[in-house]
Amino acid sequence: MPQVRGTPTRTAPVPRRRAPVGTGRTRRAGSVGLVSTPVEKVPAQSQPGAVEQEPDEELPEISFDEQRFAARPAKLRPRARRRSEDDSPIMPPFEPSGQNHAYVEWLEEQSMLHDASAVARQLAGKHTMWAHPYAHPDPRAALAQASVWYTAYPLSHITANGQSYLAALGAPELWEAFKEIGIDAVHTGPVKLAGGLDGWDPTPSVDGHFDRISMTMDPMFGTEEEFREMCATAARSGGTIIDDIVPGHTGKGADFRLAELNYRDYPGIYHMVDIPESAWHLLPDVPEGRDSVNLSPEAEEALSEEGYIIGALQRVIFYEPGVKETNWSVTPPVRDYKGTLRRWVYLHYFKEGQPTINWLDPTCAGMRLVMGDALHSLLDLGSGGLRLDANGFLGVERSFDHAPGWSEGHPLSLAANQLIGSLVRKVGGFTFQELNLAIDDIQRTSAVGPDLSYDFITRPAAQVAMATGDAEFLRLVLREALDLGVDQASLVHALQNHDELTYELVHFAAAHRDDIYVYEGQEFTGQDLAEHIRQTMRDRLTGDAAPYNSVFTQNGIASTTASIVAATLGFTDLDDITDSDARRIANAHLLLCMYNAWQPGVFALSGWDLVGALPLDRSEVRSLIASGDTRWIHRGAYDLLGSSPDAKKSAAGMPRARALYGPVPEQLKRETSFASRLAGILKVRKRNGLATGKLIDVPQVSDQSLLVLVNELEIGATQITALNFGPEKIDARIQSELLPLGRVFDLSTRRKVGKVDDLGGFNVELAAYGGLAMIIRD
């Protein structure tokens, strides 16, 4: 089995109103009316707080979606095909070497740069390329297309017998279930050929199909026609398909092999350096059977001193002693297509099999490859949006004071993201980035490039709030983002995805390491605060407290959302969880859904969330975690529709995980199930336009477990989300200088729950792990 890894119509900016944040942090120097529309009643969430009132105290029913989007024009998009129907592959004869013309021609036919050129040429001079505005990121336009996402993972999806992964995602019954829940987009995850080539033969992916080598679908997941049919089924249900491109790197496929052969523009795709034979003594030997070896820090420094490479970068992602100690690797001697013997040193931010794309090479080959890949997905396959993976690492520059090379937050990354985001908007699509950098970097990139950004800002803080019953760090992070100008509507607020629960504390640990923050009544530097939070997470979510979760290198914790909640509730053995316990876990799980859904931005969840998956026992994935990649324990297989109840594994071979909630269709038959209650949460979100609002205050609170978000909706109303991360019921005081006088209504029950008093606040009761979405009316 292959190995797998782990941004509407624009308006002028409105100055953000800000409330005092008290002792949130200190710094060292330098540093519109509602429209009444009949809508069916939505059952109240299982929590106290709604007070019985006379009928005239009910909030009139509204439909934000019908008000704002009375009519939507059909999409106008150009079309392009990657290959003609009569294209036939060259058969592989003889020796796979640069001296074999047939082999070189075959590699070129397989290459992504070749296909990108074919797609681009079909679009040149077309008037439809000017049909859409594109200059500025537009998160609310993206939200108008799709604001609740299902994030799939190809290797873990259990399908019906003989059914492909793509056919399963395009099944009408799945989209009927999604529509009932309120899901309007599917992010497929990477489904195209990945890994590498060894001569004529393919080699497996080293990073969960994030080491792309082709625009062709991996047959393991289905065909291009099944992808197109999936997009058509989604469109008939009012939904959207979101695909992936990787502007930061490829795998070691045809493009990289042609680069090694010094063929045409292909070396210009990558950050690779032809080391002269006179300097080969600075290079390590490559063992027999390997096509490269990672440079030691000493070899990296020696080559840097000689001026051949940039040298050490700001950090080594996926650092592992003896495996990856630097971001550079070297090839053995390779005879190029003209017969010259060469050795190449190439950059890879991630794994050795993921050579980094060069965005500032004179050939523009890397840029052409990425742009063609994006256009193929949008205009040939029919996707509506693209996830940009590793897009924060598109610029790298040497430092001359013996400091690490400038590799994060580089202006070239901003420029490259501007180009990608603009091109996608130009043909009617949208983009989102999965960028784990400082909040400042995320904000800067969002201002010019992708329309949406993955919420690496508050996701770990919400998990800390869950694990500790204390939302102080979450309030601190939200205020930090507010101060730095982050628009919450531009973020993808997600539960679990294919990666570990990353600590995502780069903001504090690196860019703001010397800033002073007040937390738990003490002053911490950013660096010390980051380590304090990491240790808290490790103590609460791994080890003796939760041995079923696992630390993953230096990045985070391998876990599912359900296993985080299980650890929070004190379960040390997953086998002890009963049906009654599963309902308790679902209650707290739904609190995290409320947090992510009842604020501006995208709400995203996975198949593991929908079925309540628990981590696999390590013995079930022993070979996959042998290299230290513990993320495999949280990637167990799941069966969304109950299509194969007897299946022990997915088609890709992932063992089936224990699912606490069961298949989605069965859940939707019960009003008290996780999926049915989630549908109620999402109805509140959609009916009231919470996704496109604006966060304006994160006020001080009297209870440490309490989080209050004050949002301003596009219709001008003030909306409040109040959440209790603690295990005990609380009588909560909601107070903010930005609350107008008026009556307060629960958006779930449509009933009055209080009135804003002269002190600028009101009281509500919140159940343990309960929440309320409220609105203020005159």
Side-chain angles (χ1 to χ4, degrees):
M1 185 187 80
Q3 294 189 12
V4 186
R5 159 185 116 175
T7 207
T9 303
R10 288 180 293 280
T11 59
V14 178
R16 179 170 53 79
R17 294 181 293 172
R18 195 179 302 168
V21 297
T23 59
R25 69 169 168 84
T26 60
R27 277 279 174 87
R28 290 181 179 170
S31 67
V32 11
L34 302 177
V35 177
S36 176
T37 305
V39 180
E40 75 276 18
K41 295 284 185 181
V42 181
Q45 300 301 311
S46 56
Q47 62 197 0
V51 180
E52 291 296 328
Q53 302 287 340
E54 295 301 318
D56 63 351
E57 289 290 293
E58 291 190 3
L59 181 67
E61 298 285 357
I62 63 170
S63 175
F64 176 85
D65 192 60
E66 292 180 12
Q67 176 191 350
R68 185 163 182 251
F69 306 114
R72 293 176 177 172
K75 294 179 180 178
L76 178 63
R77 285 189 178 180
R79 301 294 299 171
R81 282 295 174 106
R82 179 177 63 89
R83 298 279 175 102
S84 302
E85 295 298 331
D86 61 351
D87 278 356
S88 56
I90 299 171
M91 298 305 294
F94 313 119
E95 193 68 23
S97 71
Q99 285 68 60
N100 181 358
H101 178 73
Y103 177 65
V104 175
E105 187 177 350
W106 178 78
L107 284 176
E108 190 168 20
E109 283 288 324
Q110 308 306 307
S111 73
M112 296 175 70
L113 183 58
H114 175 272
D115 284 348
S117 299
V119 170
R121 186 61 192 90
Q122 294 173 61
L123 298 169
K126 301 296 184 183
H127 71 280
T128 46
M129 289 296 293
W130 303 100
H132 302 277
Y134 64 87
H136 303 291
D138 203 339
R140 286 168 177 80
L143 289 166
Q145 291 192 52
S147 79
V148 178
W149 300 356
Y150 167 73
T151 55
Y153 191 61
L155 295 182
S156 299
H157 193 106
I158 294 176
T159 64
N161 186 37
Q163 184 183 43
S164 74
Y165 167 72
L166 293 175
L169 284 189
E173 56 268 30
L174 180 64
W175 281 92
E176 289 171 7
F178 282 167
K179 191 170 185 178
E180 187 171 348
I181 295 172
I183 296 169
D184 52 18
V186 166
H187 177 209
T188 64
V191 293
K192 294 164 188 171
L193 284 173
L197 286 172
D198 181 7
W200 302 101
D201 301 321
T203 58
S205 169
V206 299
D207 198 20
H209 278 66
F210 286 96
D211 46 346
R212 288 270 310 284
I213 63 171
S214 176
M215 298 183 193
T216 304
M217 295 296 157
D218 189 325
M220 177 193 300
F221 304 128
T223 67
E224 287 194 7
E225 283 308 313
E226 286 177 323
F227 194 105
R228 294 186 185 99
E229 181 56 35
M230 173 183 63
C231 293
T233 300
R236 287 192 291 268
S237 298
T240 301
I241 297 297
I242 304 169
D243 195 12
D244 289 86
I245 65 169
V246 188
H249 56 252
T250 70
K252 288 186 174 179
D255 296 274
F256 185 75
R257 298 309 177 197
L258 287 166
E260 286 183 312
L261 297 178
N262 200 34
Y263 185 72
R264 295 185 178 175
D265 289 349
Y266 286 87
I269 295 175
Y270 302 103
H271 282 285
M272 58 193 305
V273 180
D274 180 9
I275 305 298
E277 191 167 355
S278 60
W280 284 8
H281 66 281
L282 301 175
L283 304 176
D285 293 330
V286 177
E288 188 72 27
R290 295 275 302 275
D291 67 353
S292 62
V293 67
N294 190 240
L295 293 184
S296 68
E298 293 77 19
E300 177 188 61
E301 183 178 5
L303 288 167
S304 176
E305 288 293 328
E306 293 295 325
Y308 291 118
I309 65 175
I310 291 167
L313 305 185
Q314 290 170 259
R315 58 177 167 148
V316 180
I317 301 172
F318 295 158
Y319 174 86
E320 189 174 346
V323 177
K324 191 194 177 192
E325 298 182 331
T326 72
N327 295 299
W328 301 89
S329 287
V330 60
T331 72
V334 177
R335 198 167 297 280
D336 73 12
Y337 85 110
K338 289 185 177 180
T340 303
L341 206 59
R342 302 179 186 274
R343 293 195 74 183
W344 303 90
V345 170
Y346 66 94
L347 176 67
H348 55 95
Y349 280 91
F350 299 94
K351 296 185 178 181
E352 193 175 312
Q354 295 167 293
T356 296
I357 292 174
N358 187 346
W359 274 82
L360 201 57
D361 184 83
T363 65
C364 296
M367 181 189 304
R368 286 153 48 202
L369 183 155
V370 173
M371 297 303 203
D373 192 20
L375 292 171
H376 166 247
S377 179
L378 294 161
L379 306 184
D380 186 351
L381 299 179
S383 65
L386 296 173
R387 189 263 295 273
L388 310 183
D389 186 69
N391 70 309
F393 308 100
L394 308 185
V396 61
E397 183 174 333
R398 183 172 187 165
S399 297
F400 293 94
D401 54 0
H402 298 285
W406 187 6
S407 57
E408 298 181 15
H410 195 283
L412 179 56
S413 281
L414 300 182
N417 278 283
Q418 172 74 44
L419 289 172
I420 301 168
S422 294
L423 183 68
V424 172
R425 286 187 290 272
K426 195 173 184 182
V427 296
F430 65 88
T431 55
F432 83 97
Q433 62 181 352
E434 196 165 313
L435 185 63
N436 183 14
L437 292 180
I439 299 174
D440 320 53
D441 292 328
I442 294 174
Q443 193 278 333
R444 280 193 290 267
T445 306
S446 300
V448 297
D451 301 287
L452 300 163
S453 298
Y454 200 84
D455 186 3
F456 280 126
I457 297 171
T458 73
R459 189 174 79 145
Q463 308 286 9
V464 171
M466 173 62 65
T468 64
D470 187 340
E472 181 181 3
F473 183 62
L474 179 54
R475 293 189 296 269
L476 185 155
V477 173
L478 283 161
R479 291 170 187 151
E480 182 84 350
L482 201 57
D483 283 349
L484 290 171
V486 173
D487 181 0
Q488 291 296 110
S490 72
L491 300 179
V492 178
H493 310 292
L495 295 175
Q496 184 182 354
N497 71 4
H498 64 280
D499 273 326
E500 75 287 353
L501 165 58
T502 49
Y503 299 132
E504 298 150 7
L505 299 172
V506 177
H507 179 82
F508 300 99
H512 297 270
R513 59 183 295 142
D514 296 322
D515 289 357
I516 302 298
Y517 297 87
V518 176
Y519 179 66
E520 295 180 338
Q522 304 177 54
E523 288 190 350
F524 289 85
T525 65
Q527 183 180 24
D528 290 342
L529 177 60
E531 181 52 35
H532 179 72
I533 294 298
R534 288 188 189 112
Q535 192 58 52
T536 298
M537 295 170 80
R538 289 190 289 261
D539 291 344
R540 299 298 183 103
L541 300 176
T542 66
D544 292 340
Y548 41 82
N549 296 327
S550 179
V551 171
F552 170 65
T553 65
Q554 297 175 328
N555 285 21
I557 297 170
S559 59
T560 67
T561 307
S563 74
I564 289 172
V565 176
T568 298
L569 297 180
F571 291 98
T572 58
D573 189 337
L574 296 180
D575 290 338
D576 292 340
I577 296 175
T578 65
D579 290 343
S580 175
D581 296 328
R583 288 190 288 273
R584 291 173 59 210
I585 289 173
N587 287 340
H589 197 159
L590 286 164
L591 174 68
L592 290 173
C593 293
M594 293 178 204
Y595 167 71
N596 287 287
W598 286 350
Q599 64 172 307
V602 169
F603 169 58
L605 77 167
S606 67
W608 297 296
D609 288 301
L610 281 174
V611 302
L614 296 174
L616 297 167
D617 188 273
R618 288 164 177 75
S619 64
E620 298 181 88
V621 285
R622 184 177 291 111
S623 62
L624 293 174
I625 66 175
S627 64
D629 193 344
T630 56
R631 292 173 298 177
W632 290 105
I633 67 171
H634 68 237
R635 294 171 175 165
Y638 53 81
D639 188 353
L640 280 186
L641 295 181
S643 303
S644 298
D646 298 325
K648 303 299 183 185
K649 297 182 178 182
S650 68
M654 283 303 299
R656 188 178 193 132
R658 180 183 173 189
L660 298 180
Y661 311 150
V664 171
E666 292 182 12
Q667 290 190 56
L668 292 175
K669 295 175 183 177
R670 307 190 311 272
E671 290 185 359
T672 59
S673 71
F674 176 86
S676 293
R677 294 169 66 192
L678 174 63
I681 292 170
L682 296 181
K683 283 179 182 178
V684 168
R685 169 189 168 89
K686 181 178 177 62
R687 184 174 58 192
N688 298 283
L690 305 190
T692 55
K694 183 178 181 64
L695 178 66
I696 59 175
D697 193 18
V698 185
Q700 297 288 1
V701 295
S702 56
D703 296 273
Q704 285 300 302
S705 64
L706 177 62
L707 175 72
V708 177
L709 305 177
V710 181
N711 301 306
E712 183 179 278
L713 303 183
E714 282 196 299
I715 56 176
T718 300
Q719 185 268 324
I720 306 104
T721 295
L723 304 170
N724 177 17
F725 283 88
E728 304 293 336
K729 179 177 66 176
I730 62 174
D731 185 9
R733 174 69 179 177
I734 313 295
Q735 189 156 333
S736 168
E737 293 183 1
L738 298 185
L739 296 185
L741 295 176
R743 297 170 296 161
V744 183
F745 290 87
D746 178 350
L747 290 174
S748 294
T749 64
R750 316 297 292 173
R751 292 186 177 275
K752 180 181 173 184
V753 295
K755 183 177 181 180
V756 178
D757 56 34
D758 293 337
L759 297 177
F762 60 96
N763 285 65
V764 292
E765 190 177 79
L766 292 173
Y769 303 118
L772 286 172
M774 298 164 283
I775 197 167
I776 298 176
R777 292 294 305 233
D778 296 336

